[in-house]
Amino acid sequence: MAATGADAGQKFKIGHVLAKGSQFSEAVRVMNEELERRTAGRYSIEEFPASALGDGKAMLDGVKLGTIDMVMSSSGGALAQFNTTMGILDLMLLFRDEAHVDLVLDGPIGDKLLESFKPLGVVGLAWGENGFRQLTNSVRPIKTPADISGMKIRIAESEIYKKAFESLGAKPFTLPFAQVYPALKNGQAEGQENPITTIVGAKLNEVQSHITLSYHTYAPAVILINADAMGDMSPDDQKALQEAAKLGGKASRKFVRERDAKGLEALKASGITITPTAEFDRAGFEKALAPFYAESSKVFPMDQINAIKNAK
């Protein structure tokens, strides 16, 4: 049985994998404030950060089963496994910039992707953000596909990420995040890819000499609730929850983008060599990724991929 608002004293439990004070925390904070205000205190949200309710997969399964009320989950391994439709968002060079992201996710395409959770017994409430991923390494500036060929790059645990980097001729491998710094320091990994905020927060620039502002993969986040838990709310309270979640999602985007801007200034001050976006041969990378997109189109129809890539 789903844990309803009434069962939990009208308090929904939400879990996520990031630390307290992260972009996901900011989303939960704003969402809770808005929900309490809009329902005159009838509903509130209690945060369980840093995988307190289990890892990403466990929390997604918990929301599906109703043992957890809500989860905020980023795209990548666990979410794409939970809902294969979401895998399309993991494709490399799918999004141009933040404005493109907002246009897609806040429009009909984003709404349709949220609706794809319904058959799983879960309601997709809103989109949040984890951020654009950038390339760092200790070998050379990465401007063209040839620059990445043969490079040992640590990637997130995603089969889609793996196939993309292999198409570029790199040697991608997965490793728990806690082991990334020492792996870069001892040469087990020559490069890695993460949002600027993560790179600065984990001090990866101390063991990397180059960063390319590649914006090669975007990681959205989604706020989900068990369908039965939401179904127990009145229509007005359901609307209040959806509105609160959308504001929470927007707060996470604002948080990430402001923190990335500050992080970039910190990187400039650190002395790492920065290759700007203008020097990243995006067209060359897109051409090199043609086999990857051809294979991906067997899972995600090319018209859907192009609808996202060409949205204006």
Side-chain angles (χ1 to χ4, degrees):
M1 180 182 289
T4 66
D7 292 336
Q10 296 187 322
K11 181 177 286 187
F12 291 124
K13 293 182 178 180
I14 186 168
H16 61 77
V17 300
L18 298 187
K20 183 77 173 175
S22 65
Q23 56 265 38
F24 288 6
S25 263
E26 178 67 4
V28 174
R29 182 189 70 79
V30 170
M31 182 166 54
N32 178 51
E33 285 184 359
E34 291 292 334
L35 182 63
E36 285 188 325
R37 183 176 68 81
R38 291 161 188 266
T39 63
R42 289 189 300 280
Y43 287 92
S44 63
I45 298 169
E46 183 178 7
E47 180 187 17
F48 291 82
S51 301
L53 299 180
D55 62 19
K57 182 180 184 303
M59 284 188 283
L60 287 164
D61 289 342
V63 171
K64 180 179 180 179
L65 294 170
T67 55
I68 299 173
D69 299 309
M70 300 177 70
V71 67
M72 187 166 184
S73 178
S74 180
S75 67
L79 191 60
Q81 290 169 22
F82 180 73
N83 178 0
T84 54
T85 304
M86 292 293 290
I88 195 170
L89 298 177
D90 290 340
L91 298 178
M92 191 177 283
L93 300 182
L94 185 68
F95 292 103
R96 297 183 296 275
D97 50 29
E98 285 92 350
H100 182 200
V101 164
D102 294 346
L103 179 70
V104 171
L105 296 185
D106 294 338
I109 294 173
D111 290 344
K112 190 172 181 180
L113 285 167
L114 287 178
E115 288 173 7
S116 71
F117 286 97
K118 286 183 178 178
L120 299 171
V122 172
V123 178
L125 292 171
W127 294 104
E129 182 163 287
N130 205 15
F132 269 103
R133 305 176 80 87
Q134 318 290 358
L135 286 164
T136 73
N137 79 96
S138 58
V139 182
R140 67 182 77 89
I142 295 174
K143 299 181 180 182
T144 70
D147 296 329
I148 206 172
S149 181
M151 194 176 288
K152 296 180 291 184
I153 297 180
R154 182 270 178 184
I155 61 169
E157 193 169 344
S158 164
E159 190 63 24
I160 294 173
Y161 285 11
K162 180 173 179 285
K163 288 178 178 177
F165 277 100
E166 286 176 343
S167 283
L168 295 171
K171 296 179 179 177
F173 67 100
T174 60
L175 197 68
F177 187 71
Q179 297 176 30
V180 174
Y181 186 103
L184 293 169
K185 188 174 184 180
N186 66 29
Q188 179 188 355
E190 295 171 312
Q192 65 84 48
E193 44 93 51
N194 262 300
I196 289 174
T197 299
T198 304
I199 293 166
V200 174
K203 300 181 179 180
L204 300 183
N205 52 294
E206 294 180 352
V207 286
Q208 297 278 263
S209 50
H210 303 277
I211 180 169
T212 298
L213 302 182
S214 52
Y215 292 83
H216 61 275
T217 308
Y218 173 74
V222 65
I223 301 170
L224 306 172
I225 185 171
N226 174 271
D228 289 340
M230 186 167 178
D232 288 334
M233 303 173 77
S234 71
D236 284 347
D237 286 343
Q238 288 183 29
K239 183 182 178 185
L241 176 61
Q242 288 180 313
E243 291 172 346
K246 288 185 186 300
L247 289 170
K250 288 182 186 298
S252 74
R253 294 185 201 175
K254 183 172 183 283
F255 185 95
V256 168
R257 295 169 192 184
E258 288 179 351
R259 202 164 63 166
D260 272 2
K262 291 177 182 175
L264 182 57
E265 292 305 311
L267 287 175
K268 288 176 180 176
S270 77
I272 192 171
T273 300
I274 299 174
T275 298
T277 306
E279 294 180 22
F280 176 70
D281 182 12
R282 187 179 176 101
F285 274 87
E286 287 180 334
K287 185 176 179 181
L289 285 167
F292 163 72
Y293 269 97
E295 173 141 355
S296 298
S297 69
K298 297 174 185 175
V299 181
F300 311 110
M302 191 56 77
D303 63 334
Q304 293 180 16
I305 294 173
N306 287 332
I308 295 175
K309 290 186 76 171
N310 300 327
K312 291 181 180 178

